[in-house]
């Protein structure tokens, strides 16, 4: 991503960044499950993924001779990283050991609603836009419709009540993600977006390590017993899910409104379903196709005011970015 102090942001970069978080993050549900099925425990997975991604990115920033150690920025980035990548993503990884990915995707897709509720400085703007409010409601309804068959099966089962604590935990994780994103967006920074992203990932990765030990994930674990598919999934999550995807997300928060950026939460389940159909041979029903269409409509509605103002045109938009 471009990273000059005062820059002109081309719509092409914005499109590439949105495509990255839409497509790549939508695939991470599939690769997280693949990694765990390959034999990697959940918190160890988080430790490996984010520690390595953070170190690689810090190394790249060092090669570019960027200033890495600015105390205030490191503290802010660490707090953000723990809220986003340890609390929120950690809950997603952990819950996928117990909960069907359909329910996980639904609860995570509530993020755009929490962005609007918690973004107090922009309440006047967000709540004055009928298209935004309708888009949020329509999007969440679309995700529920998308997974309606699986949801009905879950709540008809005998163990439905046992899943309630996990659902509440996922809601808490989604709130933590939204709050952490808004916290990051509200804090000024001297460091570049790349440096901040690196510290966020490294801080989260370090926190995963003691939690993994406390849960006894290292006891009796044999690395040679981990399937190759597990390691390949980890590599994908490091390179694409973390370095590419999270970098694009942090950058977008600086150049687009939080409400717009949060639309990734509606598109990700769509990608998850497509991957399930293509790679896992899953069947997609007419109800699910309808859900996909509704979700895409919601993203259009949320961005409608921007389309009207011509922001998503080919002209360049001047913004000031920290770093």
């Amino acid at each position: 991503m471009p990273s000059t102090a005062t820059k002109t942001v081309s719509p092409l970069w914005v499109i590439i960044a949105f495509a990255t978080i839409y497509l790549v993050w939508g695939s991470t549900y599939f690769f997280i499950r693949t990694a765990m099925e390959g034999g990697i425990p959940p918190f160890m997975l988080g430790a490996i993924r984010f520690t390595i991604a953070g170190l690689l990115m810090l190394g790249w920033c060092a090669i570019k001779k960027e200033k890495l150690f600015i105390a205030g920025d490191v503290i802010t980035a660490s707090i953000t990283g723990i809220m986003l990548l340890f609390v929120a993503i950690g809950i997603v990884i952990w819950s996928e050991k117990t909960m069907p990915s359909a329910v996980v995707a639904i609860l995570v897709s509530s993020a755009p609603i929490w962005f609007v509720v918690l973004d107090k400085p922009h309440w006047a703007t967000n709540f004055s836009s009928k298209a935004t409010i309708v888009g949020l409601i329509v999007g969440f309804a679309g995700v529920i419709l998308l997974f309606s068959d699986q949801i009905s099966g879950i709540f008809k089962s005998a163990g439905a009540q046992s899943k309630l604590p996990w659902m509440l935990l996922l809601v808490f994780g989604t709130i933590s993600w939204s709050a952490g994103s808004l916290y990051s967006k509200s804090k000024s920074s001297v460091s570049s977006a790349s440096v901040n992203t690196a510290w966020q990932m490294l801080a989260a990765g370090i926190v995963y390590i003691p939690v993994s030990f406390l849960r006894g994930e290292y006891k009796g674990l044999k690395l040679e017993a981990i399937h190759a598919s597990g390691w390949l999934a980890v590599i994908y999550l490091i390179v694409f899910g973390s370095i590419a995807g999270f970098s694009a997300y942090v950058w977008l928060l600086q150049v687009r409104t939080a409400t717009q950026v949060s639309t990734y939460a509606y598109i990700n389940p769509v990608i998850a379903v497509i991957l399930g159909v293509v790679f896992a041979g899953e069947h997609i029903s007419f109800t699910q196709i309808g859900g996909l269409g509704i979700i895409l409509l919601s993203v259009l509605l949320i961005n409608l005011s921007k389309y009207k103002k011509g922001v998503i045109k080919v002209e360049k938009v001047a913004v000031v970015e920290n770093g």
Side-chain angles (χ1 to χ4, degrees), residues 1-14:
M1 295 298 163
S3 58
T4 54
T6 302
K7 71 168 69 171
T8 299
V9 177
S10 167
L12 178 61
W13 278 111
V14 176

Side-chain angles (χ1 to χ4, degrees), residues 215-238:
R215 286 185 49 80
E217 291 183 345
Y218 293 85
K219 291 181 181 178
L221 180 70
K222 296 180 179 180
L223 295 180
E224 62 271 17
I226 296 176
H227 197 274
S229 63
W231 291 120
L232 290 173
V234 171
I235 293 171
Y236 178 88
L237 290 169
I238 290 170

Side-chain angles (χ1 to χ4, degrees), residues 64-102:
K64 294 196 299 179
K65 300 188 183 303
E66 295 190 49
K67 195 168 183 179
L68 304 181
F69 301 99
I70 300 173
D73 291 351
V74 173
I75 292 171
T76 298
S78 297
I79 293 171
T80 303
I82 291 169
M83 292 177 71
L84 270 61
L85 303 177
F86 174 70
V87 177
I89 298 300
I91 289 173
V92 168
I93 296 173
W94 193 21
S95 65
E96 282 205 41
K97 291 286 288 184
T98 306
M99 296 283 292
S101 58

Side-chain angles (χ1 to χ4, degrees), residues 94-144:
W94 193 21
S95 65
E96 282 205 41
K97 291 286 288 184
T98 306
M99 296 283 292
S101 58
V103 177
V104 174
I106 289 165
L107 294 172
V108 170
S109 74
S110 66
I113 296 172
W114 292 113
F115 268 96
V116 172
V117 171
L118 298 175
D119 192 10
K120 188 175 180 180
H122 294 94
W123 276 358
T125 301
N126 289 332
F127 287 107
S128 65
S129 172
K130 293 180 181 179
T132 297
I133 300 301
V134 172
L136 290 168
I137 296 171
V138 167
F140 193 59
V143 174
I144 292 175

